[in-house]
Amino acid sequence: MELCRLGIAETRALIDKGEVSPGEVLASVLGRIDAVEDRVRAYVTVTRERAGEMARESRGGPLSGIPIAVKDNMCTKGTPTTCSSKILENFVPPYESTVTSRLLEAGYVLPGKTNLDEFAMGSSTENSGFFPTSNPWDLERIPGGSSGGSAAAVAADECIAALGSDTGGSIRQPAALCGVVGLKPTYGRVSRYGLIAFASSFDQIGPITKTVKDAAALMNVIAGHDPLDSTSAPVEVPDFTAALSGDIKGMKIGVPKEYFIEGMDPEVESTVREAIKALEGLGAKVLDVTLPHTDYSVAAYYILATSEASSNLARYDGVKYGLRARAKELLQMYTETRAGGFGAEVKRRIMLGTFALSSGYYDAYYLNAQKVRTLIKQDFDEAFKKVDVIATPTTPEAAFKKGEKTGDPLKMYLSDIFTNSVNLAGVPAISIPCGFTGGGLPVGLQIIGRHFDEENVLKVADAYERATDWHKKRPKL
Amino acid sequence: MLTETKIFCGCPTAFGAEPNTQTCPVCIGMPGVLPVLNRRALEFAIRTGLATNCAISTYSRFARKNYFYPDLPKGYQISQYELPICEHGWVDIASEEGGHKRVGITRIHMEEDAGKNIHEEKGPYSLVDFNRTGVPLMEIVSEPDIRTPAEAVEYMKKLRTILRYLGVCDGNMEQGSLRCDANVSVREAGSAGMGVKVEVKNINSFKFVERALAYEIKRQVKTLEEGGALVQETRLFDTQAGVTQSMRTKEEAHDYRYFPDPDLVPLVVDEKWIEEIRASLPELPDIKFKRFVKDYGLPEQDAAMLTEERAMADWFEEAVKAGATPKAASNWMMGELLRLLNKKNLSIEKSPIDPKQLVDILKEIENGTINRTQAKEVFEEMFNREFHRIYDTSGRIEVTLPAPKVAMTARQIIKEKGLVQISDAGELEKTVDEVLSASPDEVNRFKGGEEKLMGFFVGQVMKITRGKANPKLVNELLGKKLST
């Protein structure tokens, strides 16, 4: 068996037993990249040399010798970090993000930085300023986004595991569409220091892996309070792998009617309903719950996230780093730098957010959206009084064709209709493979938990994974 | 604020360093960085709020003020907007009609400073220095209670005194650690509402506060009297020409798109901590002033001057504690000490002479060893010697103090300079006789009623004795001789 096909746990075991070396694991991953990357295009940068050094130097640590791809919006000192934007094409961070610092301490090997929708704004990775990534299950289709590069790299075995970031579904949606596991932790669980901000009150880093167990193992390394991030929570970090008992007897699983809507792909709906039945078969109690403000989540999300983005992206002005247009005076330098450096979707969102925050519109848009956010959080709080976790489809449909939605931003935004609410509420949620469409495309089951209760989310996901084989399927590339 | 580090990162705040040497990824706005509030800056803001009778908000927020400028690396300034840390305070200033006038404080909020653009003359480009970026600032907003430029100056000085007492700001307007944006509006006498408001910027000294405001009031009155209309605008004070010039009108004003900063959680301040800070406040100038008048029997003018600087008041109290009479200590400090400190451009904190040394000299006057004139000489000599012992020749750079500091005594200088007062009646009588026999004309005129000539005789005795004669004794002897 090829080493690159393995997950963290299996690779760890082989290295620890001395049966394989980190160098061999890396060679397998790099070989796989050589074989398929021209078709998948998951990576913006393959850090071959640095990976070699890291593999040679790796010793001890829970991730020592494990190649983990990192989405290219997390700062890696000395290694280009582009956010898949022309404006940061030449940017080499002088500092290390907290998550990658923790990976370094754990001994990881960085095979490369993965592609994303520019500044994590998008649901298909088609908004990358460089090139689109393909879905390994069907190269004509998108891998989802914005962590499309990380999800595709995991699905195509171009790494052992990966990190993504999730602002409105950017881990879970591509994980679902690529048939892998993706966990968005509770807001505040993982430090955002060094994560290039899209929308600060939503952004959260999480694992994209081949198994639930691997997601738990990565969480053990990256979770925890960081004094450099005021929004990271000073909350005790459990051993997430210890929660994976396989036993979910008597657990209450809520199913919200608002997540089974008209217009969604009937194949996706039936696949997810099957998966929920399977959970019931494992001894869980399935209950109906309601999240009544779900309808407003996409609108609220796009007002708040773009408002924050309009401010977060103001620093790309050509003065300090990144692209700078040559111009005769300041205003011209600003406008030409930003006009040339940002892609269409980023510009659209900056304009939307600038508008929503403008004097005279702030109350109608930003403030009302904040109120909706509170209502959506309260929906979850209410539901979690009755149930331990909530199960829903991750997406309304399987991977769509490239170019299918690029002309209609609203349609594209609706790909995140089942994931946005979770970010508004700040709760944790995972997407796991739960079957395939007739056309052979993966379908994702989303399991949502209470704030800081990743343990139950992982436990349910793991129990399902033990009972099924979906996660073992691999695309034929 | 006088914090050692910046408000949202650990960079030092010292003034005057080489450009861009006090920066880090956070304060230059690198992609992905996050702010973490400096607890000291918050404490300083709370101290200031408490000292100016504000209510301290147990729940406040930071907001982003969005605008583009090269010295603002993130494209927004982190400030406070809707929920500032302090609100509804006041300070009392000396009123022009005597007594006190209360100026309301609307709010005090924290924010980060911007950097500095440096415009190169030789090239078609500008440079940016980010050393100042992220230095913590407080913005203190007053109510529209100030009526004259002089009151504005009084208010600024009072704030400065309080800030310096608290140790939260050095109050240096020239270096920009105290700045002033003044809003000016005029209205017809007796009318109720406020007139059109004009903001005046670039006022960087107390002198300019008065000048800029006086000019702006005159300009507004003249405009209205000529039948013109005022527009709400921001004007820049031109320090050279002494006039204000329009910078931008209300229509051209920025839309700052304030919104709560999602990188910083709401600021929840513990009541207990506020009370701890309150308990740690120093005695404030108003209270100290009253105490100085009451406890030391000082004239109000003395008390006002001594309490303007906390270090000055402390020096005074140490002198009194060491045995000086309050008025004598006050006189010597206001006179000789300040004169010599100013000459060397030193603050009271850097005084080469300590209060005990002043008391040492005062004792030598009391016991008759030296007279007041000689005491001044001893004081100056001691000041200069100590100065050279503590500071290097340029007088600017402090050298390491020899430890332990061996303080000069008055006795040593008196001895070295041969300054001991002549109080020997026999010896002085000879000199007096000498003077009188050398000036028969003056003696006759004196006896004829020209009593002011007494000064001449004393002067002559002093001249001969090189100022060493005990003036009291000289007067006695002369009086006795001339009456016979």
Side-chain angles (χ1 to χ4, degrees), chain A residues 95 194 230 311-312 315 320-321 359, chain B residues 29-32 35 64 66 73 255:
Chain A
Y95 77 102
S230 311
S311 174
N312 282 334
R315 69 190 61 196
K320 306 157 297 272
Y321 43 71
S359 159
Chain B
M30 280 279 164
R64 292 185 185 177
N66 296 285
D255 179 354

Side-chain angles (χ1 to χ4, degrees), chain B residues 364-397:
Chain B
E364 299 295 348
I365 304 177
E366 257 171 60
N367 66 24
T369 314
I370 48 173
N371 60 35
R372 207 166 292 280
T373 317
Q374 289 171 317
K376 282 184 184 172
E377 208 180 324
V378 173
F379 189 87
E380 184 157 4
E381 182 68 22
M382 189 186 283
F383 185 99
N384 287 332
R385 287 203 203 174
E386 294 285 34
F387 178 81
H388 290 300
R389 193 166 63 82
I390 299 168
Y391 299 95
D392 76 357
T393 44
S394 75
R396 294 226 175 86
I397 304 151

Side-chain angles (χ1 to χ4, degrees), chain B residues 144-271:
Chain B
D145 291 336
I146 297 169
R147 293 288 172 266
T148 65
E151 279 182 7
V153 174
E154 275 300 312
Y155 169 71
M156 286 294 291
K157 285 192 170 160
K158 188 55 173 282
L159 275 186
R160 180 179 188 270
T161 297
I162 294 170
L163 295 171
R164 287 175 57 87
Y165 260 67
L166 298 172
V168 300
C169 173
D170 64 22
N172 188 324
M173 284 194 89
E174 282 73 24
Q175 281 182 9
S177 43
L178 184 66
R179 301 170 209 165
C180 164
D181 293 342
N183 287 284
V184 181
S185 75
V186 298
R187 61 179 166 189
E188 222 169 301
S191 67
M194 293 285 177
V196 174
K197 184 175 76 174
V198 172
E199 186 180 5
V200 184
K201 283 182 173 287
N202 192 37
I203 305 176
N204 51 18
S205 78
F206 290 107
K207 197 173 67 189
F208 290 148
V209 172
E210 179 125 31
R211 278 197 207 157
L213 298 195
Y215 174 84
E216 182 56 24
I217 291 167
K218 221 171 73 189
R219 185 192 71 84
Q220 290 189 19
V221 170
K222 193 167 167 242
T223 304
L224 292 176
E225 282 177 351
E226 286 169 354
L230 295 165
V231 288
Q232 189 176 329
E233 61 180 340
T234 302
R235 297 177 70 87
L236 221 54
F237 180 60
D238 179 338
T239 52
Q240 297 287 311
V243 300
T244 63
Q245 271 153 355
S246 186
M247 189 172 129
R248 56 171 179 256
T249 62
K250 191 187 172 191
E251 284 67 37
E252 298 162 324
H254 294 292
D255 179 354
Y256 290 121
R257 291 173 281 118
Y258 281 102
F259 76 107
D261 191 335
D263 285 335
L264 290 155
V265 290
L267 193 51
V268 178
V269 180
D270 181 16
E271 289 274 8

Side-chain angles (χ1 to χ4, degrees), chain A residues 11-35:
Chain A
T11 314
R12 169 88 280 124
L14 289 178
I15 294 174
D16 288 350
K17 277 187 266 171
E19 288 177 22
V20 299
S21 70
E24 286 169 297
V25 176
L26 177 62
S28 173
V29 165
L30 292 176
R32 180 70 177 170
I33 290 173
D34 289 339

